[in-house]
Amino acid sequence: ACSSKYVLSQMHPMWQGPLAVPGGDRQSPIDIVVRKSVFDSELKPLVTEYNPETCQQIWNNGYSFLVEYDDTTDKSTLKGGPLQDKFRLCQFHFHWGESNAWGSEHTVDRRLFPAELHLVHWNSDKYSLFEEAVMEDNGLAVIGVFLKVGKRHEGLQKLVDALPAIRHKDSVVEFTRFDPACLLPVNIDDYWTYHGSLTTPPLTESVTWIVMKQHIEVSHDQLAVFRSLLFTSAEEDVQKSMVNNFRVQQPLCGRTIRSSFS
Ligand SMILES: NS(=O)(=O)c1ccc(S(=O)(=O)NCc2cccs2)s1
Ligand SMILES: [Zn+2]
């Protein structure tokens, strides 16, 4: 539906359906067909400068859980790679399945991963607020990292231990001194990049996606704690497990996916 002319309810509970956006021809997520990606030697290495002191809170927004950073100054930033400007980290979150067989939003040659991390940044050279940047063409940059089930991720455990306190939608707890760099793979020089959108409402087509080729490993038990979260708030009488919070894949619509590696 590259030029769909309709949009279903933006409050579609699970956005699982073919939630289309008027004229949406650069929607996310997509399948990354490796042999169709184009090596671009002009792509630079990514430069992340994250300051753990800007970490503020962790909360359940009813779609995922988010770790939010103070983005009132350029303290935690991303530049380089495909980016012309400096981008400020505002939050990171994950998408995962009810089983280890699926859960990621992007796929690589149709391969699904059990989960996917998104580090969300906005263009602080051009805009003064995230809310502005989210509506603009080159407003956002999101780093995607695939998760595989294997050995325990020591850096992730601090975050896993905070999850029981935010089981219900709209619960929030203070969360400080967390360095998101510990969640990046060893090699961040190899990535795919393409122009796409947010994968949840408002679905705006303002994202430069940077999807890492190398995954990180987390343990089965760590991922099980993600699944203990709930979509529903404490007041609701029917509680629903927060699982399968990924969007269905969207048409490429002729877009080119570039790779930083040959
Ligand atoms: N999956 S994604 O990175 O394309 C984003 C979608 C919406 C985002 S948001 O920054 O507007 N926050 C709201 C959020 C909703 C769900 C998780 S976060 S980020
Ligand atoms: Zn996401």
Side-chain angles (χ1 to χ4, degrees):
C2 296
S3 54
S4 54
K5 292 280 174 275
Y6 64 91
V7 54
L8 299 178
S9 137
Q10 287 287 324
M11 293 318 293
H12 190 283
M14 286 287 293
W15 77 84
Q16 292 290 350
L19 207 56
V21 179
D25 58 1
R26 49 171 282 196
Q27 288 289 294
S28 295
I30 58 169
D31 176 44
I32 295 167
V33 182
V34 176
R35 71 187 182 292
K36 289 196 177 163
S37 63
V38 177
F39 169 60
D40 180 349
S41 59
E42 307 273 299
L43 285 172
K44 298 179 180 53
L46 273 179
V47 179
T48 59
E49 287 175 1
Y50 294 146
N51 180 337
E53 291 311 309
T54 56
C55 188
Q56 289 184 317
Q57 60 188 19
I58 185 169
W59 69 291
N60 177 333
N61 75 344
Y63 288 126
S64 180
F65 65 89
L66 288 78
V67 176
E68 292 195 316
Y69 286 75
D70 166 23
D71 62 357
T72 54
T73 67
D74 266 345
K75 270 200 188 155
S76 286
T77 61
L78 169 67
K79 60 185 197 294
L83 306 171
Q84 307 306 325
D85 297 318
K86 179 179 279 195
F87 287 69
R88 234 178 245 175
L89 175 69
C90 69
Q91 52 101 332
F92 70 80
H93 63 274
F94 297 80
H95 302 263
W96 60 91
E98 65 193 282
S99 91
N100 292 338
W102 64 82
S104 62
E105 297 210 300
H106 292 90
T107 51
V108 179
D109 290 342
R110 293 281 165 213
R111 176 183 177 191
L112 288 154
F113 293 83
E116 185 173 335
L117 159 66
H118 289 157
L119 295 134
V120 183
H121 313 74
W122 55 275
N123 189 331
S124 55
D125 279 348
K126 286 206 165 48
Y127 310 106
S128 47
L129 282 175
F130 167 79
E131 286 70 21
E132 274 175 58
V134 79
M135 306 309 287
E136 300 299 329
D137 204 35
N138 66 348
L140 302 181
V142 182
I143 295 177
V145 181
F146 295 117
L147 275 64
K148 269 185 75 176
V149 175
K151 64 182 187 315
R152 185 179 135 107
H153 192 298
E154 292 310 327
L156 184 73
Q157 195 54 37
K158 176 180 176 178
L159 183 154
V160 168
D161 290 339
L163 296 184
I166 56 162
R167 278 196 82 206
H168 288 102
K169 177 181 176 193
D170 297 330
S171 46
V172 53
V173 288
E174 188 187 48
F175 192 70
T176 56
R177 286 183 296 284
F178 185 84
D179 180 2
C182 82
L183 298 177
L184 294 174
V186 170
N187 171 12
I188 61 167
D189 291 341
D190 291 358
Y191 57 83
W192 295 280
T193 183
Y194 76 98
H195 293 297
S197 73
L198 296 178
T199 65
T200 70
L203 299 170
T204 43
E205 298 181 336
S206 54
V207 182
T208 297
W209 278 96
I210 300 165
V211 180
M212 292 291 141
K213 179 187 178 195
Q214 192 175 62
H215 61 268
I216 60 170
E217 276 192 25
V218 303
S219 72
H220 177 90
D221 290 355
Q222 287 177 316
L223 213 40
V225 180
F226 283 24
R227 300 187 185 108
S228 72
L229 293 173
L230 301 168
F231 280 127
T232 42
S233 54
E235 299 71 49
E236 293 175 66
D237 32 17
V238 179
Q239 299 294 333
K240 289 186 210 119
S241 293
M242 184 180 275
V243 291
N244 303 327
N245 56 356
F246 51 84
R247 189 190 190 195
V248 293
Q249 300 208 322
Q250 303 298 308
L252 189 59
C253 297
R255 287 173 282 179
T256 298
I257 303 168
R258 291 181 290 160
S259 65
S260 66
F261 60 98
S262 54

